[in-house]
Amino acid sequence: MKIGRVIAVCLLTIAFGALLWLLGLAPSFAVAFGLLVPVIALLWACRADNDSAPWGPAEPYRGVGARQDISRLAWALRSTQGRVGDTARKRVRALAAHRLERIGLHLDEPADEPAIIAAISERAFAVVAPSSLTRCDRTDVDVALSRLSEPLKKESQ
């Protein structure tokens, strides 16, 4: 705000408070209602279309590993009655598919099933298996995530 506007707001505040006092309002209320003038002036000066910023706000990063992704995974892993939902299972399955493809194994291939079990254990495979339809325990998901976090090696057959 420019100095002229500040002086005008101060004079208007005093005049409005004095007018309310002259109309019979108690002095404390007249002062309180008079202070509404600078509040309104300050809000008017701070309105959104007053001055445009030199640059817009940064676009939030939405890639894999961003905070939203971790937050969504944490909410998906929230268990109800000891079992996790389909969202968590899908995310763990996607992670498993990615990690297993690095060593040349595919979750959708029935021929790769013994090698996958050897690489991540049968308990972890029960969580990520495409044919599994039952809701799994949170402890099973934890086992699967811990097995997938380790470096995977394809067992020679």
Side-chain angles (χ1 to χ4, degrees):
M1 259 178 32
K2 296 181 181 173
I3 191 72
R5 288 186 183 162
V6 172
I7 293 172
V9 167
C10 289
L11 290 175
L12 188 60
T13 300
I14 294 168
F16 186 63
L19 176 70
L20 290 175
W21 177 65
L22 288 175
L23 290 175
L25 208 58
S28 58
F29 286 108
V31 169
F33 283 120
L35 290 176
L36 286 175
V37 174
V39 168
I40 292 170
L42 183 62
L43 289 174
W44 184 262
C46 294
R47 70 186 188 279
D49 61 359
N50 191 18
D51 287 329
S52 61
W55 56 82
E59 193 65 30
Y61 176 68
R62 300 202 188 282
V64 175
R67 288 189 181 264
Q68 304 92 332
D69 191 39
I70 294 168
S71 176
R72 282 191 223 116
L73 180 60
W75 275 104
L77 286 175
R78 183 179 52 92
S79 62
T80 55
Q81 299 173 351
R83 305 212 179 262
V84 294
D86 293 333
T87 306
R89 179 180 232 143
K90 287 177 188 175
R91 289 182 175 269
V92 173
R93 188 175 289 152
L95 174 69
H98 177 72
R99 293 294 309 263
L100 290 168
E101 284 178 9
R102 285 183 178 177
I103 60 171
L105 299 173
H106 300 281
L107 280 174
D108 298 328
E109 290 291 325
D112 288 345
E113 189 174 312
I116 293 172
I117 291 172
I120 65 172
S121 82
E122 191 168 341
R123 189 172 176 190
F125 181 72
V127 173
V128 299
S131 61
S132 176
L133 296 175
T134 60
R135 292 182 73 185
C136 54
D137 288 334
R138 171 65 194 262
T139 56
D140 294 337
V141 172
D142 291 340
V143 167
L145 287 173
S146 67
R147 292 294 299 189
L148 290 168
S149 67
E150 300 169 1
L152 299 178
K153 295 179 185 144
K154 186 176 181 180
E155 298 287 328
S156 56
Q157 296 175 344

